[in-house]
Amino acid sequence: MAGAVVLHQTHEFLLYPPSDCPDSQASIRVRVSFHSRMHQHRCLPNGTVMFRIQTLVEPQPSRTDSPDDENGAEVAQSPDRLLIKGGHVVTLDPQLGEIAGGDVLIEGSKIVRVGKDLDVEGAEVIDASAFAVIPGFIDTHRHTWQTALRATVVPTNYFATVLVQLGPLFRPQDVYVGNLLGAVGALDSGITTMLDWSHIMNSPAHADSAVQGLRESGIRGVFAHGVGQVGKSAGVSGSNSQQHSDDIRRVQQEFFGPDEDLLTLALAFGGPEFSSIEDTINDVNLARELGIRLTTHVGVLPGKNAITQMNDAGLLGPDITYIHASGTPDEEIALIAQSGGSLSISPLNERLNGLTRWLKHGLRPSLSLDTETIAPTDLFAQMRALMWHEWTAQAQDPDRIPFTSQDILEFATVEGARATGLDDKVGTLTPGKAADVVLVDLEDITTLPRGGDPLGTITMLAQPHHVKWVIVNGVVRKRDGRLVDVDVERLNSLARESQNHLLSAAGLR
């Protein structure tokens, strides 16, 4: 291209198999859609190979159509200007509120204007008159590496089967497939940000594969680097050492540089319930040294008093998200609130006593999926499960703190942004924030007729198939109900191979 500026970039890809690494077994086809040359590669454990590719990228003219690749899949596009016009805009910004017949203007990766009858030239226009326009959902805790085990181990004990029996059998490519499939499924259901609680760090190659799967999906991801799942050291007894691997330093250096926009690093730690207080102190200090957030499970194993132990050690702080907390005593909930910590709950998978036990301390929970071995990929199911728990609790105690559909939607968006430390970027449709936007069909046969509360439609009626448009950082990831730049046939093949390997190796198939 005459006069074009040529940019030199370096990218790393995990490919299976290379021709000269003896342990490789699986095969993944990777296309590089820019000028490139192979720079170097090295063999890693379990058949994984890290290729370093130096690329020469030429700027391409912007397009407002959605071209297909050679397999017929739409290619993700980032128009210079995108105008979402005439929708019921639910900003969740306290200053902007809801705007019936509203517009959202996106330029590049940012929301630049929100209002009515915006006069904009030279933009791709999305007719949103049949849609609710909302911030992307945020899932604050998902063991994404388990995605290929969807519905395969439901009748069994999760801890004994998934963690102790299957966890040690995961190869790096199994983690890659799980993360890619899980993240793409999340995008399809309107989740634009997902925290990947990755306690499958059996080797450095497992960490690399997890990051690669997230990156290829196009989701805004928080990679919460955890420990390994190697049989009894998985910590399921609550008494095993889970001190964090120092490899997290390498992961931060190699994958999370200053130019990284979509992926963020966090530290997932066992805490006093699943490890020792000594390991917990080391883990918290490590994360704070690296300048990253922390996330841990509490209230799962009875009688551990994890929050009290952490408080006595001076560890509590606003940089920690506490998962589940369903069995956490009231005095420890108060300690979380006093320290500025945040909550992540998975209502479909938990026995909850309603919201009041948290709300009375000023704690507003975020929502999460937990694991696709026993739950669907979307947050619609989690929102409805939470409402069911709360309705049941209110029937027993009519003096409980009331909640609204907006509260439930905020748990899935605003509070998720806060729990991931991304509230300055996402969670509301506010000018200046990243353009993570979802359009939900309000005129589907299962959501008609219009005229009711759009927020009620979203929280009580909507399903993943009602999500017609998904935009992440200004890039269209789902267009007119169709995922963009996703090879479903390839994903299915990879996931089936991974599932067959794991279940056969474990003697479960």
Side-chain angles (χ1 to χ4, degrees):
M1 184 162 55
V5 177
V6 178
L7 307 176
H8 295 264
Q9 297 181 346
T10 299
H11 297 267
E12 290 184 336
F13 297 87
L14 295 180
L15 307 176
Y16 310 95
S19 59
D20 60 343
C21 291
D23 296 329
S24 57
Q25 298 174 354
S27 176
I28 294 179
R29 176 176 58 84
V30 174
R31 295 192 308 275
V32 179
S33 57
F34 32 67
H35 302 300
S36 63
R37 63 182 179 86
M38 192 63 65
H39 183 59
Q40 63 184 20
H41 78 272
R42 56 190 173 96
C43 301
L44 299 176
N46 298 316
T48 307
V49 176
M50 178 69 73
F51 284 89
R52 186 177 295 273
I53 298 176
Q54 186 180 64
T55 66
L56 303 177
V57 183
E58 293 183 351
Q60 299 297 316
S62 62
R63 300 183 58 170
T64 57
D65 58 347
S66 52
D68 292 349
D69 70 6
E70 64 267 29
N71 296 318
E74 287 187 292
V75 177
Q77 294 290 299
S78 178
D80 292 334
R81 307 181 92 190
L82 183 63
L83 180 62
I84 302 170
K85 192 165 186 61
H88 189 95
V89 179
V90 183
T91 70
L92 297 181
D93 182 311
Q95 304 302 317
L96 297 174
E98 293 182 55
I99 306 171
D103 305 339
V104 177
L105 176 62
I106 297 168
E107 291 187 358
S109 63
K110 302 291 185 182
I111 298 170
V112 294
R113 293 173 65 189
V114 177
K116 295 193 70 167
D117 301 321
L118 299 184
D119 187 12
V120 179
E121 295 183 358
E124 175 184 350
V125 177
I126 299 175
D127 178 4
S129 57
F131 302 125
V133 183
I134 64 173
F137 294 122
I138 301 174
D139 179 349
T140 56
H141 150 241
R142 181 187 300 222
H143 305 302
T144 325
W145 57 274
Q146 301 168 5
T147 306
L149 298 176
R150 285 171 174 165
T152 58
V153 293
V154 172
T156 66
N157 181 289
Y158 168 80
F159 287 99
T161 303
V162 178
L163 302 188
V164 176
Q165 187 175 7
L166 288 166
L169 302 175
F170 268 74
R171 305 163 299 176
Q173 55 262 48
D174 300 314
V175 178
Y176 164 82
V177 173
N179 271 25
L180 179 57
L181 179 61
V184 169
L187 285 169
D188 188 54
S189 72
I191 296 170
T192 55
T193 300
M194 181 185 71
L195 185 141
D196 172 33
W197 218 98
S198 193
H199 55 341
I200 189 64
M201 301 295 94
N202 296 354
S203 74
H206 287 70
D208 298 344
S209 296
V211 174
Q212 186 66 20
L214 293 177
R215 180 167 287 158
E216 286 187 18
S217 74
I219 202 166
R220 188 180 301 279
V222 180
F223 175 58
H225 184 284
V227 296
Q229 290 296 342
V230 284
K232 292 183 179 179
S233 66
V236 297
S237 71
S239 60
N240 299 297
S241 175
Q242 284 200 80
Q243 184 170 339
H244 218 86
S245 167
D246 213 43
D247 187 58
I248 192 173
R249 298 179 186 275
R250 177 195 64 83
V251 171
Q252 184 181 51
Q253 183 177 7
E254 290 192 11
F255 295 107
F256 296 90
D259 296 331
E260 177 58 56
D261 193 25
L262 281 182
L263 297 187
T264 305
L265 181 65
L267 189 147
F269 67 108
E273 286 197 25
F274 293 93
S275 188
S276 67
I277 188 61
E278 292 78 18
D279 286 344
T280 299
I281 292 171
N282 290 330
D283 290 345
V284 173
N285 288 339
L286 173 60
R288 288 173 177 164
E289 176 193 339
L290 297 176
I292 59 179
R293 289 185 60 85
L294 297 121
T295 172
T296 189
H297 295 75
V298 297
V300 179
L301 302 179
K304 292 293 181 177
N305 298 317
I307 303 301
T308 299
Q309 291 188 60
M310 292 176 65
N311 183 62
D312 291 346
L315 300 179
L316 302 186
D319 56 348
I320 304 178
T321 297
Y322 304 90
I323 299 164
H324 298 311
S326 51
T328 302
D330 190 67
E331 58 270 20
E332 291 196 334
I333 297 294
L335 289 174
I336 294 174
Q338 292 164 15
S339 69
S342 54
L343 289 178
S344 173
I345 62 173
S346 308
L348 197 63
N349 309 346
E350 300 171 4
R351 294 173 180 164
L352 300 180
N353 295 318
L355 291 165
T356 292
R357 66 189 304 262
W358 298 314
L359 296 180
K360 68 182 181 181
H361 295 291
L363 277 174
R364 292 170 63 81
S366 64
L367 300 184
S368 64
L369 171 78
D370 196 351
T371 171
E372 285 197 71
T373 61
I374 55 174
T377 191
D378 60 281
L379 288 188
F380 295 110
Q382 301 293 342
M383 287 190 286
R384 276 188 281 280
L386 177 57
M387 287 189 284
W388 181 86
H389 283 296
E390 186 60 17
W391 288 328
T392 301
Q394 285 188 348
Q396 299 170 355
D397 180 7
D399 295 328
R400 298 179 68 86
I401 298 174
F403 72 98
T404 66
S405 294
Q406 179 161 332
D407 289 322
I408 300 297
L409 186 58
E410 287 181 357
F411 297 158
T413 52
V414 175
E415 298 306 326
R418 191 173 81 82
T420 53
L422 297 172
D423 45 325
D424 61 333
K425 286 187 175 182
V426 295
T428 64
L429 300 183
T430 302
K433 286 192 174 183
D436 289 10
V437 187
V438 167
L439 275 64
V440 180
D441 193 350
L442 299 177
E443 296 186 358
D444 182 80
I445 190 64
T446 56
T447 54
L448 287 172
R450 292 283 293 268
D453 176 18
L455 275 68
T457 299
I458 296 166
T459 57
M460 291 187 287
L461 301 180
Q463 304 281 352
H465 77 269
H466 295 118
V467 174
K468 300 303 183 184
W469 289 76
V470 176
I471 301 165
V472 181
N473 215 40
V475 178
V476 177
R477 294 293 173 184
K478 188 175 184 180
R479 176 185 291 268
D480 284 331
R482 181 186 178 191
L483 282 169
V484 175
D485 203 16
V486 174
D487 187 340
V488 176
E489 182 179 348
R490 169 180 174 262
L491 267 178
N492 184 40
S493 175
L494 293 173
R496 287 174 63 88
E497 189 280 329
S498 176
Q499 184 187 94
N500 287 334
H501 157 74
L502 292 167
L503 297 181
S504 297
L508 298 175
R509 172 170 291 175

